[in-house]
């Protein structure tokens, strides 16, 4: 069960080299390729002739050709060419998806209703030259909701990421959860503490800091996190970041199957904006290492749940944000489900 | 469901070194070994004592000994020796298969009826010194019928084998399908074309050619292909190969399980008959590389079908030969099925 | 189905370095760690908070901390610390196991009844300085009863271990099986034979020998084997080992799942008691190589049984000890099963 009639990220914009891209989104196999006008096509990843994935095929101009018998399809899934000078029998790729390219990502509309551009999230940090970016994406062997739980409770940084962003104060600082119309929010403010190693280095000046984490879940599966540190008492909590550094972390989780997902992660930063290539490469390496630590835990969690299908997740206060997010997801699923017969 | 009461190829004749050979044929595990008189024994691959595969065991003269406790069985499956000076309790290998060695291959009879030598296919190209051979065998993770489909429609060469035997003319040339009493046939004649790289090299002389492909399916799962090129207008289509080169391709596909099979492939050729070892090694390498291209497609097709069990293969004109072959197989299966009760 | 209300070996005593140990015993996932007082804790391997295995976590003094959110549990499974200065909601690890450390091993009580120290087997060879030890443990992808069958019938040494302890006389020597109150016993005495390579080397003097093997199965899954050789006629069979060498082999098999198990193996020896490190390393290497030969057969047996669920193991005279052991196990299972309703 996935929340349909929504946009999901299928790929970053720089993944479209010479070969088609294959993804499974909400259980549907999708092949993507970029046309000569730049638009990205997304279609069912199966040739209607002999059932070979089109993602094994070749891009030819605006069209894609099946590797097996050379059936050529345009971006609407129509067969332009079939072997044997044959009529193609009206064969057509079974499904074509709406796509939008925005914020450096390709978004695919999954659902029966008409694609609604208004449902794209607003991610201004990714549309502004004020922010530099580090981005990576990952494929995880776990329920995509485990990733959301993880991001809506950053307490886990203490023990999952102890060398970089973890610190004991995360265990002790109170959290506050709240709901807005379209979001579940979890906030944690840690005044007057020593920064953890990662933030100390990014800040680049000595001294005690105020540290904040504001996590915002929006449907269907996005978590936006305002995180950072500022020298103590300089107004960081209120939004004055003149004496601080902010990493605005955009987390876009695309369910693949019930037990797997893609995780598209962008950190927008207001520091080191002119990082040279070597520095940027280090930022990416750090991001990959950090997320791998999460993946180790999340995939273990999935294995446990698979072995104990009746086991229940329990929620402490720290999980209040995740609990709100799960409720929002459950309501969206129920709203999207067919009405009961009768 | 497999077509029973037929011969299937289990192995090439040179696979019988010091160790037994294990194969699964039509879902039945079979161990094979060669006796001192040269005859190949085929039996159920399980020791009746403690259920360890006999193929882990040792060949001793005309007999095979189980690796676990040393039970010794003769080629009829009778226990000749058991540990403990024990009577062997009349333990016997549960099934012994008829075998025939012909055309450089070991054929095993699968079925309940008496083995019928008349059901062996006639493969004169493999019994004549007029033809040289290149042969290889492969294990594929796909339904054996996908291999037959592939061979009964060589249009796929254009895009699956573009560097060697593929050419655009394959996409355009008309095909003709027909049935004979015991065969489904698909023919394609391409007059006055430039030969593709493989055939240009094999022909060894410049000029336009006539190219032909005549594919013949016979039960249970054999495809015989007369293929080649001759200088244009020299009678190649009619069978005069004096100015041409012919590769007679014998394809023997043995189902292992519903989703796996063995593919025994021999190309008999009337050219380069005195190839030295290095040249012959190149022929074998080319054959392996070509078939690997097919395997990539066929195993992807199987994965698609596994994920979409209700999806249907669609047939264009080019598939008429495969469609006939499938009909022949379906009828043979229905004829071999037990009569409905009642 | 496993025999419950018994002790099973979970680990050797030297496996407790800095990290927790994860085992599955009779289908139950268990995490083990050693407290500061030396006692080994065994608990259910799952954090009750977010269902991540505790074996991914960190040992802190007498407690274990979950890797994910830092929940800290004591050796009774009580939560000592939870993030967010939160009450821990009374979360508790769902199960704590009784453990005993004896004979260099950690034993875990599996079952509902009170742990009964009297049910630990008596293994005096492991508690005496008269005996030196070689020990190894293994994880096998097979039913644990196949290991017991294997050990209760050493005829298999002839063909599974021909380079070391196998010899043809094993195939021919009669065996005698008998039952005692708590044990199934299989004996084989081979007077006046040439020793096989392993025993010849261990004995270290030339000459014909008497060779013995006395295998004793006790519940739930232990096989004790008195094996060795003595110069012919010097009383080895009667227990006089002055002119011989004895390897007392303690085999402790712990079921993990229906299709996997751990095998803890100790050979207590009355020879080479002062072996230097290099010699001892050779003994361990020989043990690993020998057991790998068994594993190859036993896992193949499991694959056969998986493919043929209705196939039955057949028992020859040599299997009489294994047959008795299986009967004892079946009775223990039936006795432990809930009474039928009605």
């Amino acid at each position: 069960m996935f929340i349909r009639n929504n946009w999901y990220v299928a790929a970053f914009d720089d993944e479209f080299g010479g070969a088609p891209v294959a993804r499974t989104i909400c259980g549907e196999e999708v092949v993507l390729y970029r046309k000569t006008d730049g638009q990205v096509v997304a279609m069912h990843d199966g040739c209607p002739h002999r059932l070979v994935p089109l993602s094994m095929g070749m891009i030819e101009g605006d069209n894609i050709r099946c590797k097996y018998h050379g059936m050529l399809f345009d971006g609407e899934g129509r067969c332009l060419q079939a072997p044997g000078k044959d009529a193609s029998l009206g064969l057509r790729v079974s499904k074509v998806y709406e796509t939008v390219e925005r914020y450096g990502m390709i978004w695919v509309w999954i659902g029966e209703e008409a694609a609604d551009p208004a449902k794209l999230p607003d991610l201004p940090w990714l549309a502004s030259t004020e922010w530099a970016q580090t981005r990576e994406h990952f494929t995880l062997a776990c329920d995509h909701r485990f990733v959301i739980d993880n991001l809506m409770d950053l307490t886990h940084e203490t023990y999952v990421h102890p060398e970089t962003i973890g610190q004991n104060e995360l265990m002790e600082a109170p959290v506050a959860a709240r709901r807005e119309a379209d979001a579940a929010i979890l906030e944690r403010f840690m005044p007057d503490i020593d920064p953890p190693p990662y933030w100390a280095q990014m800040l680049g000046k000595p001294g005690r800091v105020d540290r904040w984490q504001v996590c915002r879940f929006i449907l269907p599966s996005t978590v936006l996190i305002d995180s950072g540190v500022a020298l103590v008492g300089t107004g960081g909590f209120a939004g004055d970041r003149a004496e601080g550094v902010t990493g605005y972390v955009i987390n876009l989780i695309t369910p693949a199957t019930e037990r797997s997902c893609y995780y598209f992660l962008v950190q927008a930063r207001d520091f080191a904006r002119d990082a040279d290539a070597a520095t940027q490469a280090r930022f990416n390496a750090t991001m990959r290492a950090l997320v791998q630590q999460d993946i180790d835990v999340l995939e273990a969690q999935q294995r446990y749940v698979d072995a104990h299908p009746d086991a229940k997740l329990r929620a402490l206060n720290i999980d209040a944000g995740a609990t709100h997010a799960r409720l929002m997801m459950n309501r969206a699923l129920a709203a999207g489900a067919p009405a009961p017969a009768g």
Side-chain angles (χ1 to χ4, degrees), chain A:
Chain A
M1 290 260 290
F2 305 105
I3 299 173
R4 300 176 66 79
N5 298 304
N6 268 284
W7 297 102
Y8 287 97
V9 178
F12 282 138
D13 57 2
D14 58 0
E15 295 187 65
F16 297 88
V21 171
R23 293 282 140 82
T24 299
I25 306 179
C26 297
E28 305 184 10
E29 293 100 336
V30 181
V31 58
L32 300 107
Y33 68 94
R34 194 185 283 283
K35 293 201 295 183
T36 54
D37 65 1
Q39 201 202 334
V40 172
V41 171
M43 297 194 291
H44 174 62
D45 190 14
C47 178
H49 174 218
R50 304 304 279 186
L51 306 179
V52 164
L54 288 170
S55 54
M56 296 184 80
M58 291 74 65
I59 302 165
E60 295 191 5
D62 292 345
N63 309 311
I64 188 166
R65 190 182 288 281
C66 179
K67 176 74 178 171
Y68 199 176
H69 300 93
M71 301 276 282
L72 187 71
F73 300 96
D74 72 10
E76 299 298 315
R78 288 180 294 239
C79 185
L80 301 181
Q81 194 182 344
K85 289 189 174 172
D86 195 1
S88 70
L89 305 179
L91 288 183
R92 192 165 180 157
V93 179
S94 64
K95 193 162 185 177
V96 177
Y97 296 86
E98 293 283 325
T99 67
V100 170
E101 182 165 354
R102 191 171 297 177
Y103 306 128
M105 290 169 241
I106 308 305
W107 305 74
V108 170
W109 179 261
I110 298 290
E112 296 66 36
E113 300 173 8
D116 180 359
K119 279 189 145 182
L120 280 165
D122 198 26
L123 305 175
W125 315 271
L126 305 186
S128 156
T129 56
E130 300 289 298
W131 300 83
Q133 294 183 24
T134 303
R135 67 182 203 177
E136 292 284 347
H137 71 89
F138 306 88
T139 304
L140 280 71
C142 71
D143 187 326
H144 75 288
R145 295 172 301 178
F146 294 165
V147 186
I148 295 168
D149 293 342
N150 173 281
L151 293 163
M152 288 300 289
D153 167 29
L154 300 178
T155 314
H156 78 266
E157 294 176 353
T158 313
Y159 291 102
V160 179
H161 312 298
E163 313 84 354
T164 49
I165 52 177
Q167 62 184 155
N168 285 333
E169 289 83 351
L170 288 161
M171 292 286 285
E172 293 163 14
V175 296
R178 65 172 203 274
R179 281 291 299 278
E180 292 183 359
D182 296 330
I185 294 153
L186 190 86
E187 296 175 329
R188 178 187 275 124
F189 296 101
M190 290 167 283
D192 196 10
I193 62 172
D194 288 320
Y198 174 84
W199 283 120
Q201 190 181 357
M202 296 304 113
L203 185 59
K205 39 193 169 190
R208 302 274 286 182
V209 298
D210 297 332
R211 181 179 182 187
W212 63 90
Q213 297 175 325
V214 181
C215 308
R216 172 181 290 262
F217 170 79
I218 56 176
L219 287 170
S221 52
T222 294
V223 180
L224 308 175
I225 303 177
D226 176 10
S227 67
V229 299
L231 288 179
V232 64
T234 60
F237 291 168
D240 180 348
R241 307 289 164 83
E243 294 297 324
V245 283
T246 297
Y248 210 97
V249 189
I250 292 103
N251 303 278
L252 302 149
I253 302 104
T254 299
T257 68
E258 300 285 349
R259 285 183 173 77
S260 62
C261 59
Y262 307 104
Y263 177 18
F264 294 89
L265 169 56
V266 191
Q267 186 206 46
R269 65 180 187 267
D270 64 1
F271 54 94
R273 277 178 289 203
D274 303 321
D276 60 16
T279 304
Q280 184 59 50
R282 275 203 307 280
F283 288 163
N284 283 77
T286 298
M287 180 176 274
R288 287 194 299 271
L290 266 162
V291 173
Q292 188 56 52
Q293 293 175 320
D294 290 303
I295 291 174
D296 290 347
V297 169
L298 296 172
E299 295 188 344
Q301 188 182 21
Q302 181 68 54
R303 288 191 296 271
Y304 186 97
V305 169
D306 285 342
H308 301 268
D310 297 328
K312 298 284 179 229
L313 298 169
R314 301 292 297 273
L316 305 177
N317 288 348
I318 56 164
D319 301 301
T323 300
H324 278 300
R326 290 262 187 165
L327 280 170
M328 287 174 63
M329 287 189 274
N330 289 342
R331 281 178 196 156
L333 276 172

